Amino acid sequence: MQRYIAIAALMVGGLFAGSFAVVVVIGGWWSAQAQDAKTPYPSMAPLDQYLMERNAEIALARSAAPGSISQDAEVMVLGRHGYETAAKGKNGFVCMVERSWAAEIDNPDFWNPKLRAPLCLNPPAARSNVPLTTKKTEFVLAARSKAQIVEDIKAAFEKKELTAPEPGAMSYMMSKQQYLGDRNGHWHPHLMFFVQLTDSAAWGADLPRSPVLTLPVDTWERQTVFLVPVAKWSDGTVDATDEH
């Protein structure tokens, strides 16, 4: 996912240059200005545009983390009726490729059929964020409206079908093949940390020269998500931070 989930390069420029541009860029990955009424994706595209060939999706999902982690992870892929297990795991991690609806509900990329966000979630994150992703996908495939999806997710939390993140919940997003929206492209390899709703200041996030960034998410998903860019992609190659 969350959510999954790519922040614009201007952000990294500010991050590594030590400027306060990091706050401006936070509108990157899953976020773009909600008031941008000229979104090129006003509604869901035909389902086939979001689907992938099964083996290609498995490989893309595993590319989110170093092989030492992803090779023993469970892999889930998107089918016509939702996410399904494509490969059993044995280390408690779950790797999957989130689609555009992992973004905030008002994000212009919410229905972008090109978006592919591979991530590998550790066991605590798998127990909370995988159900959130699969439940949200269930509502999307049922052709629920955005307003209905919001109410459906809220109701799922009230009924204890979904839970806030456990302590230690995190994921790897280090795939060179990730495409995190038209504004952000492949962005940079990074880690995500999922916590119950909290003040970003408690993490020192979004401050000059701080490597910790806050990812905009919908508060009704009952979590705060922090990003920490890392130097290398999952295949060990160095990220060129000046390319964005």
Side-chain angles (χ1 to χ4, degrees), residues 41-50 101 111-114:
Y41 311 105
S43 60
M44 187 175 181
L47 179 58
D48 283 344
Q49 295 186 31
Y50 299 94
W101 50 81
W111 293 122
N112 185 347
K114 297 175 292 183

Side-chain angles (χ1 to χ4, degrees), residues 58-231:
I58 292 172
L60 181 58
R62 290 195 189 279
S63 72
S68 57
I69 296 169
S70 63
Q71 66 185 356
D72 292 325
E74 177 180 336
V75 178
M76 299 185 73
V77 299
L78 180 64
R80 292 191 173 278
H81 304 289
Y83 278 94
E84 56 195 46
T85 299
K88 294 292 186 179
K90 55 185 180 181
N91 63 2
F93 279 74
V94 175
C95 299
M96 62 196 306
V97 181
E98 289 188 330
R99 300 316 202 265
S100 55
W101 50 81
E104 316 100 285
I105 205 75
D106 289 325
N107 192 314
D109 271 318
F110 189 85
W111 293 122
N112 185 347
K114 297 175 292 183
L115 192 148
R116 299 288 185 272
L119 72 167
C120 285
L121 303 108
N122 73 345
R127 289 190 288 268
S128 57
N129 284 65
V130 170
L132 177 59
T133 297
T134 56
K135 182 68 71 173
K136 199 171 183 181
T137 301
E138 173 188 325
F139 299 141
V140 165
L141 297 184
R144 302 287 281 172
S145 68
K146 284 186 175 183
Q148 289 172 326
I149 291 172
V150 172
E151 295 307 312
D152 290 341
I153 294 295
K154 288 180 178 179
F157 274 108
E158 292 300 320
K159 291 185 289 187
K160 310 299 183 184
E161 296 174 352
L162 298 175
T163 61
E166 298 178 19
M170 60 82 64
S171 72
Y172 292 80
M173 290 196 71
M174 300 169 59
S175 174
K176 267 186 175 178
Q177 289 75 50
Q178 65 187 9
Y179 185 76
L180 305 176
D182 294 345
R183 294 165 61 96
N184 306 300
H186 301 290
W187 200 58
H188 297 278
H190 55 282
L191 307 180
M192 294 199 301
F193 297 87
F194 309 98
V195 301
Q196 297 188 29
L197 288 171
T198 190
D199 185 349
S200 296
W203 281 56
D206 312 324
L207 297 176
R209 297 191 180 278
S210 171
V212 184
L213 315 170
T214 308
L215 178 67
V217 297
D218 293 307
T219 56
W220 41 268
E221 293 189 352
R222 300 195 182 185
Q223 63 180 336
T224 299
V225 182
F226 295 107
L227 309 182
V228 178
V230 295

